[in-house]
Amino acid sequence: MSRETFAFSSSTLRSLRLQREWLEWEDRRRALSRQCLSRRFPLATRSTLLLPKPARRPQYCRDPAVHNVLYTGDLQTLKNIFKDEAMANVIVETVSEELMWSAELGLWVLSPQKRHTSPLRIVAGRGYRDCLKHLILQGAEVDAVVGGKAALHDSCIHQRAECAQLLLSYGANANVLSEEGLAPLHLCTSPETLRCAELLLEHGALVNLSSRDRRMTPLHVAAEHGLEEHVQLYLCYGAGLAHRNREGETALNAACAGADKLSEAGRYYRVAERLLECGADARTAGRKNHTPLHNACGNCHPRLVELLLRYGAAVNVSNCAGYTPMDCALQAVQEYLDGQPERIITTLLDHGAAPINPKLLKFCSLCPRALEVMLNSYDRILSCDSWVEAVPPEMWQEHKTFYDSALQMTNQPRQLQHLARCAVRRYLGARCHSAIPQLKLPLSLRAYLQLPLEGYIR
């Protein structure tokens, strides 16, 4: 037998024959399909159907020189580099060393982390409008989400209204979602982003669109950051006041919870006032059954407390931990010694706050003003060592007159004048704030009924 031949078995020959017949049948089937297609569609349409456009594979750019052109906004060099659609949609990749916890080694180690973004995102976030326009004209996808966000997200984060306007004019989706489920409106979190918010709404942004995870609407975000003009804008576009986020909070809850800095108290007050004027419910409980009043007391915001009570907030409602607004106010005293906590305590008492357990007096022991108001709300001072022991010697020495008088009056009869005050206030109850100013009494007596600060207990 020669080297060019090979002996096939009968079964092998049969398999080869069947395979050849199947291939011939497949050729005939394809030819018939092409004939049918040629009769149903013209040549141009047929070529399009037979040769679909392949999806563009992502291209990555790791060249620092190209990165530098984008970050510096060098328009002329950018035009020389980004000349076509493929380059305009390149993915910019950077690698940075970040501290990561290694469970295997039991220590923090530097680990290289890749970060992705797009040319469009870079120039939009830095306000390079001309560069942005060039990239769009070269075919950059305005809604491409690269590295978690689209260019419109970056425009809003960095307050680049001119770039946001350009993107929207070229068809950018005003409701495009990031990988975290945030729309551009959710990222308007500073006063400087007002113009961005206006542009988004003018181009169809949904004012009641919720974020994916926390279910926050733009109104929640604006209230949480104390953005008065944003709140007004969203209300004009029909923002829902009763919408609750994942934790059950309304925008009013978010505003009262966010007002935790004395320097920003004014703008949060104005936000809450606007929401209440438009119909927000001051009694709605949110996270952990906190009402707006719980949050305002916990943040030691006297004006906000007065505002909420004026709109019907419940003064004795308990949260899931059993704390009333008064309990929250007392627990915040030591953190906000300069925030007039005694004013909040007086306001709550004037609206019918129930008496507290004397053991809670320790929370206000470091603020003589607050402690004086609380002690004067009782017809007698009960023996309670908890607040006495909580006062450091230097504090006692500084306010010796007050602390000594309070200690001396423990379990002692109070003055008849004070007992009469307690009786009147007990009778008026939650009407103290409105009824006492109308009593036909001398001005000094009316002032006395409102628990003024005297600096000592008698």
Side-chain angles (χ1 to χ4, degrees):
M1 182 179 295
S2 65
R3 295 180 179 179
E4 288 77 15
T5 61
F6 184 82
F8 291 98
S9 65
S10 58
S11 60
T12 302
L13 291 172
R14 182 173 180 275
S15 297
L16 291 172
R17 184 172 63 257
L18 290 174
Q19 184 178 12
R20 185 175 63 252
E21 291 175 355
W22 182 86
L23 291 172
E24 292 174 353
W25 175 85
E26 183 67 18
D27 290 340
R28 290 194 298 272
R29 187 190 66 79
R30 290 178 179 176
L32 182 62
S33 297
R34 285 193 293 270
Q35 291 176 6
C36 294
L37 191 64
S38 63
R39 288 194 296 269
R40 293 177 60 187
F41 301 101
L43 182 61
T45 306
R46 186 170 74 249
S47 62
T48 304
L49 292 172
L50 292 175
L51 299 173
K53 184 178 180 180
R56 184 176 64 248
R57 297 182 61 183
Q59 299 183 25
Y60 295 86
C61 174
R62 303 175 181 88
D63 189 344
V66 177
H67 297 180
N68 187 61
V69 170
L70 292 168
Y71 284 107
T72 59
D74 185 348
L75 178 60
Q76 190 55 51
T77 308
L78 183 139
K79 288 182 176 180
N80 294 333
I81 296 175
F82 295 89
K83 296 181 176 180
D84 53 30
E85 181 179 352
M87 195 61 191
N89 289 288
V90 73
I91 296 177
V92 177
E93 182 178 272
T94 57
V95 179
S96 60
E97 297 285 343
E98 295 185 7
L99 279 174
M100 304 286 290
W101 176 257
S102 172
E104 181 179 352
L105 299 176
L107 48 81
W108 292 90
V109 296
L110 284 173
S111 176
Q113 297 294 316
K114 291 182 179 179
R115 293 285 183 268
H116 290 161
T117 185
S118 67
L120 212 61
R121 282 190 59 192
I122 294 173
V123 298
R126 280 157 182 77
Y128 302 142
R129 190 180 184 280
D130 292 337
C131 296
L132 181 66
K133 184 174 182 179
H134 173 77
L135 292 171
I136 294 174
L137 293 176
Q138 295 306 310
E141 297 179 9
V142 292
D143 289 330
V145 177
V146 182
K149 296 182 180 68
L152 200 53
H153 293 114
D154 288 279
S155 298
C156 294
I157 292 172
H158 299 285
Q159 308 106 38
R160 307 296 185 183
E162 66 284 357
C163 291
Q165 185 174 24
L166 183 64
L167 288 164
L168 291 166
S169 67
Y170 276 94
N173 180 8
N175 297 299
V176 60
L177 295 180
S178 68
E179 288 184 356
E180 296 177 346
L182 300 174
L185 268 184
H186 294 126
L187 301 175
C188 294
T189 58
S190 66
E192 294 77 17
T193 60
L194 179 63
R195 180 54 185 158
C196 291
E198 291 173 342
L199 290 168
L200 290 167
L201 290 167
E202 290 170 4
H203 286 80
L206 301 176
V207 75
N208 288 310
L209 180 66
S210 298
S211 60
R212 184 176 60 231
D213 295 333
R214 294 183 62 194
R215 310 300 298 169
M216 299 278 282
T217 65
L219 187 62
H220 278 98
V221 175
E224 185 178 54
H225 290 85
L227 304 178
E228 179 185 4
E229 292 182 317
H230 288 66
V231 167
Q232 178 65 35
L233 175 67
Y234 298 155
L235 291 174
C236 289
Y237 273 84
L241 290 166
H243 181 89
R244 294 172 179 255
N245 63 11
R246 190 173 294 280
E247 295 174 332
E249 294 188 331
T250 63
L252 182 61
N253 293 112
C256 294
D260 57 353
K261 295 180 181 179
L262 296 178
S263 60
E264 300 176 350
R267 57 195 185 99
Y268 280 98
Y269 174 86
R270 291 189 293 272
V271 166
E273 183 179 40
R274 184 59 183 150
L275 292 171
L276 288 165
E277 288 173 349
C278 291
D281 187 356
R283 293 172 175 255
T284 302
R287 181 178 60 89
K288 297 182 180 180
N289 244 19
H290 274 52
T291 64
L293 187 58
H294 281 95
N295 290 323
C297 290
N299 290 329
C300 197
H301 199 320
R303 292 184 63 207
L304 190 52
V305 168
E306 295 165 0
L307 175 69
L308 292 167
L309 290 170
R310 193 160 64 245
Y311 277 88
V315 74
N316 288 312
V317 66
S318 298
N319 61 17
C320 65
Y323 294 139
T324 64
M326 178 66 85
D327 296 328
C328 293
L330 291 176
Q331 293 175 28
V333 168
Q334 295 185 18
E335 186 178 355
Y336 295 97
L337 292 175
D338 296 329
Q340 296 182 302
E342 70 281 359
R343 179 176 165 186
I344 292 180
I345 294 171
T346 304
T347 300
L348 293 174
L349 291 171
D350 285 347
H351 283 77
I356 67 164
N357 188 327
K359 293 182 179 180
L360 295 178
L361 292 174
K362 63 182 180 181
F363 290 115
C364 58
S365 60
L366 299 184
C367 182
R369 304 182 309 278
L371 183 59
E372 180 181 348
V373 172
M374 288 305 308
L375 292 178
N376 280 333
S377 67
Y378 300 101
D379 56 8
R380 63 191 177 97
I381 299 178
L382 299 175
S383 177
C384 185
D385 296 333
S386 62
W387 73 264
V388 176
E389 295 172 351
V391 181
E394 59 273 13
M395 176 69 74
W396 193 289
Q397 189 63 34
E398 183 180 354
H399 302 279
K400 183 175 175 57
T401 301
F402 168 75
Y403 286 120
D404 284 349
S405 66
L407 192 58
Q408 290 171 3
M409 291 301 297
T410 301
N411 289 324
Q412 298 297 317
R414 299 292 297 268
Q415 289 185 347
L416 182 59
Q417 186 181 25
H418 173 72
L419 296 177
R421 173 169 64 179
C422 290
V424 172
R425 290 182 61 86
R426 191 180 304 114
Y427 174 77
L428 294 176
R431 297 175 296 157
C432 283
H433 67 284
S434 59
I436 290 177
Q438 298 179 10
L439 293 177
K440 295 181 179 180
L441 294 173
L443 183 61
S444 59
L445 285 179
R446 277 185 286 169
Y448 181 72
L449 287 172
Q450 294 174 319
L451 304 178
L453 296 175
E454 297 178 305
Y456 56 90
I457 299 296
R458 58 180 176 176

